[in-house]
Amino acid sequence: MTEPALPHREPAQDHRHGRLAARPAPPTGRARRGLTPVTGPGGEPRALVYAPDDADERPYRLVLLLHGAGGSARQGLDLLLPLADAHHLLLVAPQATASTWDLIAEGFGPDVRRIDELLESVLSAHPVADVAFGGFSDGASYALSLGLTNGDLVRAVLAFSPGFAAPLVTRGRPRVFVSHGAADPVLPADVCSRRLVPRLRALGYPVDYAEFTGGHEVPAELRRRAADWLVAAPASGPA
């Protein structure tokens, strides 16, 4: 009879455990400005990328933006698109491989792989000094879970109306911005952000929490506040 194996001290460093391999590096590809759709081998939509069309040679802050359940890459992109030019943000909005992100359904896997490939492609073409993750609703929960798992890459997380955070392993201490409507009927603040924010703070994460009068939404003022908060801290340095 064989003795059972000892448990792993921590999960493996792979997509099934939420780990991303992409990292900023000096770009080697050709940068494309403006809005660029990313499609798969069969022409299916996989992501939207937006790079400000300006003459500024500073490295970008890259923000990965994740849509809510049943949403689209465009809805993710629109969270910060009106603010991208003014704040010099490189926006990357993937489309989930299913109706929502893999962790919500059955655990990390295909969406982590897609995001890693997408980030690798974008980082190879654009100078990036800083990486942040953001999202709304299920996308906010996923941004928190994936962002805390990859805090050695992700410097900040913008979570608009999140339900939870469920990293399998954590790295670093990214700063976190959370907003939530006090009257949210879909993910009630009382059982979501009002519990989540104190827990994150107790674990040592710096969290800025903005609760507003409203429901399951992201008011324009909260988007502006989040973007201002994001750029208020110095970028980590040139790629």
Side-chain angles (χ1 to χ4, degrees), residues 6-46:
L6 292 173
H8 292 295
R9 292 187 180 275
E10 64 178 37
Q13 304 299 299
D14 58 24
H15 293 152
R16 291 296 302 173
H17 296 88
R19 289 291 287 162
L20 299 166
R23 292 294 184 272
T28 57
R30 178 176 176 271
R32 298 183 66 177
R33 309 292 184 178
L35 184 63
T36 303
V38 179
T39 57
E44 70 278 8
R46 288 198 169 184

Side-chain angles (χ1 to χ4, degrees), residues 3-128:
E3 291 292 327
L6 292 173
H8 292 295
R9 292 187 180 275
E10 64 178 37
Q13 304 299 299
D14 58 24
H15 293 152
R16 291 296 302 173
H17 296 88
R19 289 291 287 162
L20 299 166
R23 292 294 184 272
T28 57
R30 178 176 176 271
R32 298 183 66 177
R33 309 292 184 178
L35 184 63
T36 303
V38 179
T39 57
E44 70 278 8
R46 288 198 169 184
L48 291 171
V49 177
Y50 178 78
D53 187 11
D54 57 31
D56 195 334
E57 296 300 323
R58 287 179 299 129
Y60 293 104
R61 271 189 166 90
L62 184 154
V63 188
L64 182 83
L65 293 170
L66 307 175
H67 61 76
S72 65
R74 182 67 201 214
Q75 290 172 324
L77 190 79
D78 284 346
L79 289 169
L80 293 182
L81 183 59
L83 304 161
D85 290 345
H87 291 82
H88 199 59
L89 304 177
L90 174 60
L91 306 182
V92 181
Q95 181 70 46
T97 57
S99 62
T100 191
W101 304 97
D102 52 19
L103 179 64
I104 316 297
E106 57 182 18
F108 287 128
D111 286 323
V112 182
R113 188 175 300 105
R114 173 173 289 189
I115 288 170
D116 209 10
E117 292 172 354
L118 179 61
L119 287 176
E120 184 176 8
S121 174
V122 173
L123 290 170
S124 71
H126 299 273
V128 169

